[in-house]
Amino acid sequence: MTNPNYKPLVVDTFDKLAEEDIDYVKPVVDGFLPGIGAFLFCGSSKLGKSWLALLLGLKVCKGEPFWGYDVKKTSVLYLCLEDGRRRLQDRMFRVAEEYPQNFYFTTEAMTIDTNLIKQLEEQMKEHPDIGLIIIDSLAAIRGEQSTANGNMFYDDYHIIRILHEFTQQHNITILLIHHVRKNQSADPFEDISGSNGLHAASDGAFVMRREDSGVKLYHRHRDMAEQVYTIEFDHADCVWKLLDVGTPEEDAFKTDHDLKCVMKYLEDHDEYEGLAQDFCDLIGARKKAQSLSGKLSNRKYQLEKMGIIFEKTKTNKGMVFRFSRVKEENAEKKTEDSPWDIPEGMTADDFPIEIFGDEEEVSDDV
């Protein structure tokens, strides 16, 4: 039986693609939030996701820098579906001194399985200058789940895919506020509540979580290098402020107690060779030798860039660590010739290489 919705595949060739002029969509926040796509913004309850989303929306509709990043001025639609008008008004009074006319909001909306997309289409017709839609939260627009054949991955993927396609049609960005699981994972993006279908279908994700070294905002998406932002809530002004930014590797060496102890030791000593547990005792490590071994192994390339060679071997007496300095004449060559260098214009997602997190216990305190 022929499907009445059947369409033949429309195919093209790469030589035509190479000649095609594709319009560039300016980022909403340069280096932080692209100008097109559906992005997850995740964090535990009461951590302050909505405060940060409100600040972002205000900066975008006024065209003011966000954390020092350039912003494309555009109208914003804020679906504030978990708070009423009174709470939203109170937050606006606390955060803003001016109240932009191009910052639209609603506290009620339909769901994906009813007519949310139709509602959004109507808003785009009425306000074609909208470039950012913030939906707080994903749970409020999910609607009834079909759970086709019990496949939650499919349902989650389908929901985000619908929103992704909407962003492609209108060249806009959607930021979806969502929750995380109670227990933290080694990889922050595994904290995202629901199946992997949410992250798989999205164009990128932010994960906000409280750690021993402060509140971190992890950012990962297809066309940008992964970043970690260290942020702090200013209770006087009720805004999130940026303290530091770097890659996950850079952040680990700044904030992880055991890695900081390793670097402190190596500042005063050119080398070390001995039992791993003895080294842990020497530097005052909080975790066991196996944990530190995993952390160091996952960051061997980063260590080499800092001029340090790390090696480990198993012996009858136990695991042995060996640290040595890269010879000056070879230091530059090692960095340039490393097989892990990523060509310009590409990201880690373009390669079939998976880097695993540390095998260690993580606190449930979120």
Side-chain angles (χ1 to χ4, degrees):
M1 182 175 179
T2 304
N3 186 338
N5 296 320
Y6 169 79
K7 293 181 181 179
L9 286 176
V10 178
V11 300
D12 216 327
T13 61
F14 275 100
D15 65 326
K16 289 184 180 179
L17 179 62
E19 305 257 341
E20 186 176 348
D21 289 327
I22 300 176
D23 291 337
Y24 171 72
V25 179
K26 188 177 179 181
V28 174
V29 182
D30 193 21
F32 184 82
L33 185 63
I36 184 169
F39 297 85
L40 296 169
F41 184 81
C42 309
S44 58
S45 298
K46 315 305 180 189
L47 185 55
K49 302 184 300 295
S50 297
W51 285 102
L52 184 51
L54 183 60
L55 175 65
L56 176 64
L58 282 168
K59 294 296 185 181
V60 170
C61 68
K62 294 168 69 176
E64 296 179 350
F66 175 77
W67 288 349
Y69 296 100
D70 291 336
V71 167
K72 176 181 70 174
K73 184 177 181 179
T74 181
S75 294
V76 177
L77 173 61
Y78 185 20
L79 275 60
C80 184
L81 307 178
E82 293 191 343
D83 296 315
R85 297 175 69 92
R86 179 179 297 178
R87 178 175 291 180
L88 182 59
Q89 184 190 60
D90 181 63
R91 286 181 176 172
M92 180 64 74
F93 285 155
R94 289 171 180 266
V95 173
E97 297 180 357
E98 301 176 1
Y99 312 106
Q101 293 185 347
N102 62 336
F103 197 168
Y104 311 107
F105 80 93
T106 183
T107 56
E108 296 181 0
M110 304 190 83
T111 57
I112 284 284
D113 60 339
T114 53
N115 284 305
L116 174 65
I117 296 301
K118 181 178 179 182
Q119 289 180 318
L120 296 181
E121 291 280 5
E122 290 171 348
Q123 289 301 309
M124 293 304 301
K125 289 181 180 178
E126 186 173 350
H127 307 290
D129 54 337
I130 290 175
L132 172 63
I133 297 176
I134 301 172
I135 300 178
D136 188 358
S137 66
L138 174 59
I141 63 160
R142 291 182 72 108
E144 296 295 328
Q145 297 297 289
S146 64
T147 315
N149 299 319
N151 192 334
M152 180 180 276
F153 179 95
Y154 173 83
D155 287 331
D156 286 345
Y157 189 96
H158 182 63
I159 287 171
I160 303 300
R161 190 68 186 177
I162 290 173
L163 295 170
H164 165 83
E165 291 174 355
F166 182 85
T167 67
Q168 304 302 303
Q169 293 168 4
H170 295 280
N171 283 347
I172 64 166
T173 298
I174 291 180
L175 192 65
L176 284 156
I177 298 180
H178 187 46
H179 300 286
V180 294
R181 300 184 179 94
K182 181 179 179 181
N183 296 329
Q184 290 187 355
S185 306
D187 182 352
F189 297 92
E190 292 182 2
D191 292 355
I192 298 173
S193 181
S195 76
N196 291 334
L198 294 176
H199 194 197
S202 71
D203 294 279
F206 299 84
V207 176
M208 183 180 183
R209 67 181 189 178
R210 190 181 305 280
E211 299 181 356
D212 291 341
S213 55
V215 178
K216 303 290 183 179
L217 181 64
Y218 294 86
H219 179 205
R220 178 186 293 170
H221 100 76
R222 298 185 181 107
D223 301 319
M224 289 184 182
E226 187 171 338
Q227 298 286 331
V228 181
Y229 306 89
T230 302
I231 58 179
E232 181 179 67
F233 190 70
D234 185 331
H235 292 274
D237 295 329
C238 292
V239 297
W240 283 99
K241 294 188 175 180
L242 178 65
L243 302 181
D244 191 29
V245 61
T247 65
E249 292 81 6
E250 292 169 342
D251 184 71
F253 284 109
K254 293 177 183 176
T255 61
D256 184 279
H257 174 270
D258 292 353
L259 291 177
K260 282 167 59 177
C261 289
V262 170
M263 299 311 297
K264 179 66 174 66
Y265 177 86
L266 294 175
E267 285 177 6
D268 302 324
H269 305 81
D270 286 337
E271 58 185 30
Y272 172 87
E273 184 170 1
L275 291 175
Q277 189 57 56
D278 289 346
F279 182 74
C280 288
D281 295 339
L282 180 64
I283 66 172
R286 293 176 179 173
K287 299 291 183 179
K288 295 180 180 179
Q290 182 181 11
S291 174
L292 183 58
S293 173
K295 292 178 182 179
L296 293 168
S297 295
N298 283 346
R299 297 169 176 87
K300 287 183 69 173
Y301 175 59
Q302 190 71 22
L303 287 167
E304 286 190 21
K305 290 179 68 176
M306 293 187 287
I308 300 166
I309 299 295
F310 168 69
E311 299 170 300
K312 62 180 181 179
T313 55
K314 290 183 178 180
T315 69
N316 293 334
K317 294 183 179 181
M319 181 72 70
V320 169
F321 283 174
R322 182 176 182 271
F323 295 93
S324 58
R325 291 286 178 180
V326 178
K327 292 183 179 180
E328 198 68 33
E329 62 270 21
N330 294 332
E332 184 177 348
K333 186 177 187 300
K334 276 188 172 292
T335 300
E336 292 177 351
D337 295 346
S338 171
W340 300 103
D341 282 345
I342 298 176
E344 185 178 354
M346 304 185 78
T347 70
D349 287 340
D350 296 313
F351 299 88
I353 297 169
E354 191 168 9
I355 299 176
F356 295 90
D358 303 331
E359 297 180 358
E360 60 177 293
E361 295 182 1
V362 183
S363 170
D364 291 342
D365 184 20
V366 178

